[in-house]
Amino acid sequence: MVKAALIVIGDEILSGHTLDTNSQFITAQLREINIRTVSICTVPDSVDAIQKGLETASESADIIITTGGLGPTKDDKTKKAYQHFFNDALVLDESTFAHLSEYLNRKGRAHLLEINKQQAMVLSKAKVLQNHYGTAPCMQIIENDKMYFSLPGVPYELKHLVSEQIIPLLKNHFQTNYMETRFISVVDFPESLLSQHIESWELALPQHIQLSYLPIGNRVKLKIIGSGSDKASVKKELDNEIEKLQPLIGDKVISWQGEAIEEILGELLTRKKLTIGAAESCTGGAIARLLTSVSGSSNYMKGGIVSYATSIKTSVLGVSETFIKEKNVVSEEVAMAMAQGAKKLLQTDISIATTGVAGPNTDNENNEIGKICYAIIIGNQSYTHTLFLPHLDRKDFISFVAQRVLQDVVQYVDT
Amino acid sequence: MVKAALIVIGDEILSGHTLDTNSQFITAQLREINIRTVSICTVPDSVDAIQKGLETASESADIIITTGGLGPTKDDKTKKAYQHFFNDALVLDESTFAHLSEYLNRKGRAHLLEINKQQAMVLSKAKVLQNHYGTAPCMQIIENDKMYFSLPGVPYELKHLVSEQIIPLLKNHFQTNYMETRFISVVDFPESLLSQHIESWELALPQHIQLSYLPIGNRVKLKIIGSGSDKASVKKELDNEIEKLQPLIGDKVISWQGEAIEEILGELLTRKKLTIGAAESCTGGAIARLLTSVSGSSNYMKGGIVSYATSIKTSVLGVSETFIKEKNVVSEEVAMAMAQGAKKLLQTDISIATTGVAGPNTDNENNEIGKICYAIIIGNQSYTHTLFLPHLDRKDFISFVAQRVLQDVVQYVDT
């Protein structure tokens, strides 16, 4: 198995100011060509720490990728660490300099060339992968059969370099195995009971098929990975093993394929030719955002109303003021009325509505923090629920509710 | 300086299936009590790797925190690694077992006690911090003047343990220094020019004040951190240094305080008593979600319309079909008409609208992927813009546009 190690360079990540999303992108891309990431280490913007990171990573991995620390400002230390680690000098790379001039010219920033000139200085041992979306190039260095890459930290620059240049290069160089991942989404089955229930199936799996459990809200995803040199036989073997699960947990499975709930729902709605819309209060657009995050969602997602202020529930969704006062703005009745209003306005087959208190402060009616009422209308059927989630902070509350509502829609549509 | 090292345990993170958000939460909490995180290492669900992680982390840090790998299923290896590392045995902790029984009873899951019983097995050396929101307790072990914590990986369980138990405990034990962080948001000033412009100011900063640059879209945030034993003098010193920036970059600063753009805008709108609403097409709810993510946003955010389907632009926002056909659905004119429609519907002082193509596929009118038109109305003033962002993938496109639009609103409101 070819192994990769990531070194993330950034005081900003260590201080909690920036969330590192680059690592997830890189590791997912590597996984698809069966390269296993064995470690991700975040180190400070310090020459010593980066150098030590390179040393440690080289001990266990064939591919070492650093991200960050290549910009034109003072706090960039990566190149110096590379110099020390490889005992090499920086030289001006003419083609990189030409690329940089052209890039800055095209952006109308030719006056910045002097400041950025040092970015064309690379290790003499390095091959350069040009960055078409920024000024910091990526160095590729091969030493002792190991391959090193220095990537800039800006996510979109990094993404282009990884998917367009590094992945094809690695796939070709390491001639990696084929691998296939399947996800099975199970509901109403706590992780510990589920694992007990399918224990004998799990124990009988061949060694090159791996199972793991991913609990998400009240769903558990089973992840099953097979790998091998022959694509067709891996696929067939996975299919066979998964078929054996049907009699064991078939009635609790909501999807045998999709990864995220919004993708699972997307597949389902596309297949059933159903449209959907939402009226959101406490989730503030999170459900609409989740639905529209899927490419191709315009086939089923028509739109949504974020009725954050109570007045919008009345003026846009047509829920009367007296009704809201009588029932309480956080109630299943108001959620249902909002869903009906949205269904009429957006003309969809399915309509969702949420109303609740995300916290950390209560609303004007002193409703409990963490209380959420939601309604789902599917054709003539309708459902309402109330949950209490006081243990979740504002951010987690909103994410959980959005996930949970879509999960319920999947279940109701599927039954 | 007290130093912390994080060890993140999880094949799911190394494979790119799960985004690690726990580390950001923990490091941010540690920062506030002036504990510096010197490394975050993600390792596989393997006893050896976890043990090696513990060894490496102990070399450089005073506090070692592991996250994940404590659930009741087979792929949990953390406790075994702790056993080996501390050369200790697991013993049944009676108070943890009692806590577990009570927790499962309360959740109506008493039948799971047998499966979860092993969770009450902890190292004999450990003190237990009880988990009030899940079944895996947190072990605290002190050895050779270093403090170790094993945290469960479920974000909300972890958050409660960290903020309610671990942080107060660390603050008390290590008697840490006070520290203060300031953010200054600068617009229309590329990072490299800005750094040149304030270079002499930067070089004159005392050693215990640190500066770094965080480019975000077309904004650059200056982060300035001061630390010291006396709260008042740190504050005063920071104020003095920041005051010197006023004549240098004052005209380009949109905020001297706030961290995220939605918080900056929130402060501004609250101060100016202005309300806001949005009509979103290609951003699909991302702007509403960003606005409502701020606690207290109900003071200025009234609501939004996600008009994903063209028909909703007509039926809800009142933009005529002929007008859309004539001008093109992705045009500044349609964006402006959407903003006007939303303003009328939501009765706000400020109205925003977006229309564009997030990709990866084009729309029905064959508009370019990455094209975005947006409109902002503030009272009697209005603005429209068109951007081309073909280099961003769907997810980054949506995030960038939402950030950018709010940034523009801040600028326009402020001028």
Side-chain angles (χ1 to χ4, degrees), chain A residues 19 25 55 64 75 87 97 115 142 146 149 152 203 216 224 233 265 287 309 321 325 329 370 377 385 398 404 407:
Chain A
L19 178 68
F25 180 82
E55 284 159 13
I64 294 94
D75 52 354
N87 194 18
F97 186 69
I115 287 178
I142 302 183
K146 293 177 189 296
F149 296 94
L203 292 172
I216 299 173
I224 305 163
S233 55
L265 181 59
I287 291 175
E321 243 184 286
K325 270 203 190 122
V329 66
I377 306 177
H385 293 279
I398 293 173
R404 172 62 179 264
Q407 189 173 301

Side-chain angles (χ1 to χ4, degrees), chain B residues 190-215:
Chain B
E191 183 185 357
S192 44
L193 280 187
L194 177 62
S195 79
Q196 213 180 21
H197 193 73
I198 63 173
E199 188 170 30
S200 49
W201 173 83
E202 181 179 353
L203 292 172
L205 284 175
Q207 252 204 318
H208 57 281
I209 296 187
Q210 291 195 314
L211 170 75
S212 53
Y213 295 83
L214 316 173

Side-chain angles (χ1 to χ4, degrees), chain A residues 35-55:
Chain A
I35 291 173
R36 180 184 291 165
T37 305
V38 292
S39 69
I40 306 169
C41 282
T42 307
V43 301
D45 290 336
S46 121
V47 177
D48 280 356
I50 301 169
Q51 195 182 336
K52 210 181 156 203
L54 287 167
E55 284 159 13

Side-chain angles (χ1 to χ4, degrees), chain A residues 322-340:
Chain A
T322 1
F323 186 77
I324 294 175
K325 270 203 190 122
E326 194 186 307
K327 302 292 182 187
N328 187 337
V329 66
V330 181
S331 63
E332 295 187 12
E333 290 87 349
V334 168
M336 183 51 70
M338 288 168 63
Q340 283 161 343

Side-chain angles (χ1 to χ4, degrees), chain A residues 12 15-17 24 31 40-42 73 159-160 183 191 214 259 292 302-304 306 309 391 393-394 396, chain B residues 12 15-17 24 31 40-42 73 159-160 183 191 214 259 292 302-304 306 309 391 393-394 396:
Chain A
E12 291 315 306
S15 66
H17 281 108
Q24 187 186 24
R31 175 172 41 85
I40 306 169
C41 282
T42 307
T73 48
K159 284 182 182 178
H160 282 282
F183 290 95
E191 185 185 355
L214 316 173
E259 201 170 339
T292 58
K302 290 187 79 176
V306 179
H391 56 292
D393 65 18
R394 183 178 182 86
D396 289 346
Chain B
E12 290 316 306
S15 66
H17 281 108
Q24 188 186 24
R31 174 171 43 85
I40 306 169
C41 282
T42 307
T73 46
K159 284 182 182 177
H160 282 283
F183 290 94
E191 183 185 357
L214 316 173
E259 200 170 338
T292 58
K302 290 188 74 176
V306 179
H391 55 292
D393 65 19
R394 183 179 183 85
D396 289 347

